[in-house]
């Protein structure tokens, strides 16, 4: 996947320790550095069990990251439905914005959710990002709420039919 002739990049599941550290650095730059989210709120116990994805430039530079919570870890964010994962901590470095990296990361997270057998992905979007997620097929639901001092809305996208259910 490329963002254009000048900036080719790819996405992958972050498994190696170096990839995970790159994910955390992008989050620190964007959320802590740019958005003033307290560092103790940015990193949590879910980081240990989440599926992390990373976007990297051809030269290995980390461009963006996101994570997927699933199972019990996602339950508090998704209304308790075990077939729904929770996308979060989506961050794209300042120099990579506008290249399609965010959308590629969302799709990579959805691919990971499908591989886990999930039927939908929820997320809590900063309200300024609602349009971005709507263009990717997410639908807002419920009232606006604060998170880390910023207004958010819950959103969901079905990624495949749930197992065992058929259309009537």
């Amino acid at each position: 996947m490329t963002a254009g002739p000048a900036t080719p990049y790819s996405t992958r599941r972050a498994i190696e320790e170096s990839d995970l550290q790159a994910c955390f650095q992008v989050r620190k730059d964007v959320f802590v550095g740019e958005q003033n989210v307290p560092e103790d709120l940015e990193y949590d116990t879910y980081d240990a069990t989440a599926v992390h994805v990373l976007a990297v430039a051809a030269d290995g530079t980390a461009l963006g990251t996101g994570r997927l919570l699933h199972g019990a870890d996602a339950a508090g964010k998704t209304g308790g439905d075990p077939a729904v994962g929770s996308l979060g901590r989506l961050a794209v470095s300042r120099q990579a914005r506008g290249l399609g990296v965010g959308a590629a990361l969302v799709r990579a997270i959805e691919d990971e959710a499908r591989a886990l057998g999930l039927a939908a992905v929820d997320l809590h979007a900063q309200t300024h990002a609602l349009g971005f997620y709507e263009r990717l097929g997410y639908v807002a639901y419920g009232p606006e709420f604060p998170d880390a001092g910023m207004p958010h809305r819950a959103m969901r996208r079905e990624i495949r039919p749930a197992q065992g259910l058929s259309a009537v």
Side-chain angles (χ1 to χ4, degrees):
M1 183 177 300
T2 62
T7 312
Y9 64 89
S10 61
T11 60
R12 65 178 181 247
R13 184 173 181 165
I15 296 172
E16 301 295 326
E17 185 61 28
S18 58
D19 281 352
L20 292 170
Q21 291 308 314
C23 291
F24 297 147
Q25 186 60 53
V26 170
R27 285 170 45 187
K28 183 174 183 175
D29 293 346
V30 173
F31 296 125
V32 178
E34 293 180 32
Q35 297 181 359
N36 299 311
V37 172
E39 204 161 343
D40 61 327
L41 289 181
E42 176 51 32
Y43 305 103
D44 58 29
T45 57
Y46 298 125
D47 281 326
T49 54
V51 174
H52 299 269
V53 295
L54 178 66
V56 292
D59 67 2
T61 302
L63 302 177
T65 188
R67 76 177 186 188
L68 174 70
L69 304 183
H70 54 93
D73 289 350
K77 297 177 181 289
T78 64
D81 186 338
V84 181
S86 177
L87 182 160
R89 303 301 200 268
L90 188 73
V92 175
S93 64
R94 189 187 306 269
Q95 71 270 21
R97 292 182 193 147
L99 301 176
V101 172
L105 285 164
V106 169
R107 295 303 187 223
I109 289 169
E110 292 170 353
D111 288 345
E112 294 291 342
R114 277 187 204 91
L116 290 167
L118 301 177
V121 174
D122 267 20
L123 58 86
H124 293 166
Q126 293 178 16
T127 54
H128 72 81
L130 287 171
F132 166 78
Y133 290 110
E134 286 169 348
R135 287 188 295 278
L136 294 173
Y138 287 79
V139 177
Y141 67 91
E144 187 175 290
F145 60 92
D147 189 4
M150 292 173 275
H152 284 68
R153 290 278 310 276
M155 302 185 84
R156 177 172 290 184
R157 179 170 187 255
E158 303 294 322
I159 57 172
R160 64 169 183 75
Q163 294 285 349
L165 297 179
S166 59
V168 177

